[in-house]
Amino acid sequence: MRRGWPIGESLGSEQALQQRYGVSRSVLREAVRLVEHHRVARMRRGPGGGLLISEPDAGPATRAVVIYLEYLGTTLADLLNARLVLEPLAASLAAERIDEAGIERLRGVLRAEQQWRPGLPAPRDAFHIALTEQSKNPVLQLFIDVLMRLTTRYALRSRTDSESEAIEALDYMHHDHSEIVAAVTAGDSARAKTLSERHVEAVNAWLQEHHPRAGRAPRAGRRREPADGEVPRGKLAEVLAATIGDEIGSGDWEVGSVFGTETALLERYRVSRAVLREAVRLLEYHSVAQMRRGPGGGLVVTKPHAQASIDTIALYLQFRKPSREDLRCVRDAIEIDNVAKVVKRRAEPEVAAFLHAHRSALDGTEHPVDDARQATSEELRFHHGLAQLAGNALLDLFLRIIVELFRRHWTSTGQEPPARDDVAAVERAHLRILDAITAGDDSLARYRIRRHLDAAAAWWL
């Protein structure tokens, strides 16, 4: 990252890297496996070889995030809410930023939809991915990629009653897509946003009608295709890790249950011990499963944690170099939606306790914040608290990724810490936001959080 990510440049030979970092060959090779897993660099053997910098790929991290979100029990309502927050924003930005190549790209997707016939692979998320590309916002592109992967998982488990119903559903979808493309092409951002909202709501209604209420746990020993329809790229160990992770995420495997012994997994997947163990290390890295040795051991399902994926996605987005405005517009959309949800839930005990605790601190019944680092921590705690109370794990996770990007920017640029006057202004803003929430004044709460985010951005960017 410090070198400016010159793709193709060598960071050094294996021997040189061992000497530079003072580690053994086995430790270096394990680190290289993780670096290769995230497509940050790859080791090339032979003369002129070494650890070569490559263009990163967020695929491994987004697959792990999908497993994490499924473990948390992400619902269709959560998915609809997240899509309604982000996709209309992407459509609006696309209308402002699209060029001739983008128009042709979207019209090409529409032509492909028109050519679909029963028996061909169903067109799923190509339109939404292509539309988000035209927003020119790498943060939105990655987040909506995660949302579309989750939507595809729901869609693959849904059913239509007949072939004619499937054709009718596609016709409605194509009509909606065509209207959105027309609005985007005309540069009508308001209409593009409205049409996108209506379309997402229609997709959600269809999924709710056709998605089965519950799924069965996968049978042990049974291999399945990835639930999102994507066959991951990479080495055999990466493909195997993705396959096992998908089976764990898509089934009813409880934390602590044994997915299989090493011997059973070798027989089930017909791979070498070296490949299986490399796959297990990737699963352990993403906190999906852990190999436990000894009697009663095996590959044990663990409680997933998102931190490894948050770090990887943040690194990937650093490579994509989102602008200040790219970060701000996505964060604003998520945080404004969070506040609106908290206003609706203000009478619930958990929300009332949060409001009381923060009001007590800000009213001066506790010691005021003097330390800049503590003030920064309190600022993050306030916003994380609102996100958790809002109750959407998807948007909470996306906000954590954006905050990690802010943190990296802060630590890498050596900015001055906020002054005492800045700290006092932030405390006053928090109190005013809490006042609006307590009063149930939705529009005022939205206004105040928006103004606060504008002012607090100077802390981070």
Side-chain angles (χ1 to χ4, degrees), residues 362-421:
L362 294 168
D363 280 337
T365 56
E366 296 183 9
H367 297 295
V369 175
D370 290 317
D371 181 73
R373 288 189 177 182
Q374 184 186 353
T376 303
S377 177
E378 288 297 318
E379 162 74 351
L380 293 179
R381 193 166 70 89
F382 177 78
H383 291 277
H384 280 314
L386 291 176
Q388 290 172 347
L389 292 175
N392 189 321
L394 279 159
L395 294 179
D396 183 25
L397 179 65
F398 292 163
L399 183 60
R400 288 166 62 189
I401 292 169
I402 291 174
V403 168
E404 174 63 17
L405 282 167
F406 285 148
R407 188 195 67 78
R408 288 173 180 236
H409 179 84
W410 175 273
T411 56
S412 65
T413 55
Q415 288 184 235
E416 289 294 320
R420 181 66 190 115
D421 289 346

Side-chain angles (χ1 to χ4, degrees), residues 76-274:
L76 271 173
D78 293 335
L79 185 56
L80 168 67
N81 172 222
R83 291 186 62 178
L84 280 174
V85 170
L86 298 181
E87 288 196 62
L89 173 61
S92 176
L93 290 174
E96 297 171 4
R97 301 176 178 179
I98 198 164
D99 53 22
E100 292 270 354
I103 292 170
E104 180 54 34
R105 168 96 164 89
L106 289 176
R107 289 180 174 178
V109 173
L110 293 180
R111 288 193 292 271
E113 289 178 356
Q114 282 183 308
Q115 294 166 4
W116 181 83
R117 296 292 179 271
L120 296 174
R124 298 195 186 279
D125 54 6
F127 172 79
H128 297 272
I129 297 300
L131 179 63
T132 306
E133 286 173 358
Q134 309 318 311
S135 74
K136 309 294 194 295
N137 185 320
V139 183
L140 270 179
Q141 289 176 41
L142 191 142
F143 289 174
I144 290 176
D145 178 37
V146 171
L147 297 180
M148 296 315 302
R149 287 171 188 258
L150 284 167
T151 302
T152 298
R153 292 167 97 89
Y154 277 113
L156 287 173
R157 297 170 194 157
S158 303
R159 56 174 177 75
T160 52
D161 294 330
S162 65
E163 183 178 287
S164 61
E165 186 181 10
I167 295 172
E168 182 181 12
L170 186 65
D171 285 343
Y172 277 117
M173 179 184 74
H174 179 70
H175 177 267
D176 287 354
H177 290 176
S178 298
E179 285 197 321
I180 294 170
V181 170
V184 168
T185 303
D188 191 338
S189 58
R191 179 167 171 75
K193 183 176 181 180
T194 299
L195 291 172
S196 177
E197 289 171 349
R198 291 177 185 171
H199 176 57
V200 171
E201 289 171 345
V203 169
N204 179 72
W206 187 92
L207 287 172
Q208 286 182 323
E209 182 180 350
H210 294 87
H211 190 269
R213 289 185 176 273
R216 285 182 163 181
R219 274 193 225 158
R222 181 181 175 188
R223 295 188 66 177
R224 305 191 308 167
E225 294 299 317
D228 59 3
E230 177 196 352
V231 178
R233 298 183 293 110
K235 297 189 298 183
L236 181 56
E238 294 180 19
V239 175
L240 178 57
T243 300
I244 293 174
D246 181 75
E247 290 191 22
I248 290 173
S250 301
D252 292 330
W253 295 95
E254 295 183 1
V255 171
S257 62
V258 178
F259 184 75
T261 64
E262 185 175 75
T263 302
L265 294 173
L266 288 171
E267 183 179 344
R268 182 187 309 178
Y269 297 107
R270 302 185 185 282
V271 295
S272 69
R273 181 171 272 105

Side-chain angles (χ1 to χ4, degrees), residues 11-91:
L11 285 169
S13 66
E14 184 176 74
Q15 185 177 9
L17 292 170
Q18 276 183 253
Q19 293 174 350
R20 182 187 310 172
Y21 298 111
V23 296
S24 67
R25 177 176 291 177
S26 61
V27 167
L28 178 67
R29 287 185 173 179
E30 184 172 347
V32 168
R33 278 198 293 270
L34 291 175
V35 167
E36 289 179 330
H37 169 60
H38 295 300
R39 317 284 197 268
V40 171
R42 60 186 175 84
M43 185 62 81
R44 187 171 68 189
R45 311 294 174 186
L51 190 61
L52 304 182
I53 298 170
S54 55
E55 182 173 343
D57 175 8
T62 52
R63 279 193 291 273
V65 164
V66 166
I67 292 173
Y68 168 74
L69 291 168
E70 286 200 327
Y71 166 78
L72 292 180
T74 304
T75 64
L76 271 173
D78 293 335
L79 185 56
L80 168 67
N81 172 222
R83 291 186 62 178
L84 280 174
V85 170
L86 298 181
E87 288 196 62
L89 173 61

Side-chain angles (χ1 to χ4, degrees), residues 316-330:
Y316 169 79
L317 287 174
Q318 280 184 292
F319 167 76
R320 294 288 308 275
K321 298 180 179 177
S323 69
R324 173 185 177 131
E325 185 56 33
D326 288 337
L327 291 168
R328 285 185 61 182
C329 73
V330 180

